[in-house]
Amino acid sequence: MLWPFRLDPADTAATRVIWYNVHLDNADAAGESAHLIAQNADIVALAEIQLRDPGWQALRQHYPHGCAHADDSPFALAVFARAPLAACDILFPGEYPAIRAVLGDGRVLYAAHPPPPINADLARARITYLHELAVRLATEDRVLLVGDLNSSPYSPHYRVLLRDGGLRATTRNLLPTWLPLGLNLDHALIRHGGAHTTALPWHTSDHRPLQTDWSTHDHPL
């Protein structure tokens, strides 16, 4: 439960990234926007966001760059940034979206949200998604993957993702990110470089945000 035993220290010069599954039917988009803006992140990556809701307008104005996969389903996905990105593309590992965003210094951010394994078809789709994602990540240099992976750290498919993608976790296994069961389904995984991740307070969603300070260099451990 305490693995990984050592985590990267905070870096005040790091790029701050927030990952948050905001929930498809979020009842307080305006309040969520205000909370996110107050964190002063450089980039926000959001799952299940319904951008037609005017409550997200302030957030979108604060983060004018990036890209989004708009969908009236839990698989809406967005990466928004305060500064221009070198690239921002929608990918489809299997049949579900992911986002690959390239920062100006060449670092690569992936945002991911595979389907939950609530039936046999979706379970197979999740495995395919994570496998294809791992293949892509293994070809990258400095990369951060954030997402609601619908997999706890004890899932064998999560462990295969770490192994095949050459990734390491930046939070401990025991961190609860999803209610009502308190499971750790939201992750920030790093390949090369350093990242210090903390969980932000619960708000309106059934998930809680993760805040990752993403360094441009490796931290010696």
Side-chain angles (χ1 to χ4, degrees):
M1 292 179 68
L2 293 176
W3 186 89
F5 298 113
R6 300 190 64 179
L7 300 173
D8 291 345
D11 180 352
T12 56
T15 300
R16 177 161 291 178
V17 178
I18 289 180
W19 161 260
Y20 189 21
N21 182 335
V22 301
H23 194 277
L24 182 64
D25 300 314
N26 195 301
D28 186 20
E32 294 279 18
S33 291
H35 275 269
L36 288 168
I37 291 169
Q39 298 304 316
N40 198 35
D42 299 290
I43 300 171
V44 293
L46 308 167
E48 301 193 18
I49 185 168
Q50 298 302 293
L51 292 171
R52 293 181 300 176
D53 186 330
W56 297 113
Q57 184 176 1
L59 183 74
R60 193 66 186 95
Q61 290 174 344
H62 193 76
Y63 294 97
H65 306 283
C67 60
H69 173 74
D71 201 331
D72 292 324
S73 82
F75 302 104
L77 196 62
V79 169
F80 296 140
R82 288 194 296 182
L85 298 168
C88 192
D89 299 296
I90 312 298
L91 313 173
F92 285 89
E95 300 177 2
Y96 295 89
I99 292 178
R100 179 182 184 269
V102 183
L103 279 62
D105 61 8
R107 286 177 296 162
V108 179
L109 173 69
Y110 278 76
H113 187 207
I118 57 177
N119 61 42
D121 288 340
L122 290 177
R124 285 191 292 269
R126 182 190 60 156
I127 293 171
T128 299
Y129 185 106
L130 294 176
H131 170 73
E132 293 187 11
L133 193 62
V135 170
R136 288 180 177 272
L137 290 164
T139 68
E140 305 282 9
D141 183 14
R142 296 177 298 161
V143 63
L144 172 68
L145 167 64
V146 294
D148 169 7
L149 301 182
N150 276 307
S151 303
S152 82
Y154 309 105
S155 163
H157 308 297
Y158 170 86
R159 293 171 184 264
V160 169
L161 172 68
L162 290 182
R163 183 195 68 201
D164 292 352
L167 303 166
R168 60 183 174 85
T170 66
T171 62
R172 291 196 167 93
N173 289 353
L174 54 77
L175 179 70
T177 69
W178 176 67
L179 297 174
L181 299 182
L183 297 177
N184 184 356
L185 301 183
D186 298 87
H187 304 276
L189 308 175
I190 192 81
R191 175 180 168 85
H192 304 155
H196 177 82
T197 300
T198 56
L200 299 179
W202 306 92
H203 193 47
T204 312
S205 176
D206 56 345
H207 289 256
R208 68 196 299 194
L210 294 181
Q211 177 177 287
T212 299
D213 291 327
W214 184 16
S215 301
T216 59
H217 57 273
D218 287 308
H219 284 297
L221 293 179

